[in-house]
Amino acid sequence: MNLLEILNIDYPVSEETAGALASVAAHVAVRKKEFLVRQGAVNHFIYFITEGLMRGTSEFGGREDTLFFAVPGDPFLSVHTMAHSEPSVLSLQALEDSSVLAVSLSDFNIMLDTYADLRKWWSSVLLEQIYALERRYVWLSTSNATERYRVFMRVRRNIAARIPIKYIAQYLNIAPETLSRIRGRRDLFSG
C-alpha cells in the first residue's frame, strides 16, 4: 500500500498532504520476528504498515500479552513517547517479513500543524483507537473463550492462519490448550 491509500482508510486526505508526508518518510524493512519498537525504549517515529503482518505486545511481571495485530494500512506509534517523551509501553514485532514507512514524530507534528486534513485524519485515528480499546476491554470482560474465538475468526479470518496459535491465545486471553479444544469443535461455526 502507498501512503495515500493508507491515510484514506480513516479519513480522506489530499494528494498534496500525502505527498508531503511521503517526502519525509523512510522505507523500513522489518524481518520476521524482528522488533520495530521495543517496550521500554523511546521511539520517535510513527509507522505506516505497507506490507506484512505485525503484532503489538507488552510484557509485565514476566507475562507476555499480544494486544493487537497490525496489517497493511495500520499506523503505529508510541503514544507515551509522542505525548510525554516516555519509553514505549508496547513492542511492535513482525510476524512475517514486513515493510513500513517511518516518519519522525517531529516531522509528523510539523505536518499536523501544516495540513488540516492530516489533523482530521489523526483525530479520526485516535478516536477509532480509543473505541477499539474500550470495545476490547468490554469484550474480554464479558465474553467466554468460545465467543472470543468466534468473534476473532469473524473479524480476522483473513489473517488467522498467518498467526502462531500462541499469539492468538494471548490475544484472546485464554490458555493455548483451551484454544486448541475450541478450534477442534466441529459445531463452533454452525447455526
Side-chain angles (χ1 to χ4, degrees):
M1 295 185 84
N2 66 43
L3 196 51
L4 181 62
E5 292 169 326
I6 291 170
L7 294 170
N8 282 332
I9 290 170
D10 290 297
Y11 185 87
V13 299
S14 70
E15 288 185 22
E16 176 190 356
T17 299
L21 193 58
S23 74
V24 295
H27 176 265
V28 178
V30 190
R31 302 208 44 94
K32 183 177 181 176
K33 297 185 179 182
E34 184 179 354
F35 285 88
L36 181 63
V37 175
R38 286 206 178 264
Q39 180 178 342
V42 174
N43 189 290
H44 295 284
F45 292 90
I46 181 170
Y47 300 101
F48 299 90
I49 300 169
T50 59
E51 221 177 289
L53 177 63
M54 306 185 95
R55 75 179 181 115
T57 181
S58 65
E59 187 176 321
F60 296 99
R63 180 174 176 238
E64 180 185 68
D65 282 322
T66 295
L67 304 171
F68 61 87
F69 300 103
V71 297
D74 289 339
F76 178 83
L77 62 75
S78 168
V79 174
H80 278 72
T81 299
M82 184 176 194
H84 299 288
S85 297
E86 296 173 351
S88 178
V89 297
L90 303 175
S91 294
L92 188 63
Q93 181 186 33
L95 294 179
E96 58 191 36
D97 289 349
S98 301
S99 296
V100 302
L101 293 172
V103 176
S104 74
L105 291 179
S106 58
D107 284 339
F108 185 66
N109 282 321
I110 290 168
M111 296 291 167
L112 288 175
D113 288 340
T114 306
Y115 297 95
D117 55 347
L118 189 62
R119 272 193 310 278
K120 289 179 181 176
W121 172 86
W122 185 230
S123 177
S124 179
V125 166
L126 292 177
L127 188 60
E128 186 60 32
Q129 292 303 309
I130 292 168
Y131 171 76
L133 179 66
E134 286 181 0
R135 185 182 62 224
R136 179 170 163 70
Y137 176 78
V138 170
W139 177 62
L140 287 174
S141 301
T142 61
S143 59
N144 64 38
T146 300
E147 182 57 26
R148 289 196 298 270
Y149 180 69
R150 187 178 285 130
V151 169
F152 173 78
M153 289 304 293
R154 187 177 69 237
V155 174
R156 290 297 203 170
R157 181 177 298 279
N158 60 330
I159 62 169
R162 296 162 49 197
I163 302 171
I165 296 300
K166 68 180 181 177
Y167 298 144
I168 294 174
Q170 286 176 357
Y171 176 76
L172 298 175
N173 199 27
I174 58 178
E177 301 79 20
T178 301
L179 179 57
S180 291
R181 279 194 303 276
I182 291 169
R183 288 169 42 109
R185 289 181 47 194
R186 296 191 186 275
D187 65 329
L188 187 60
F189 293 101
S190 61

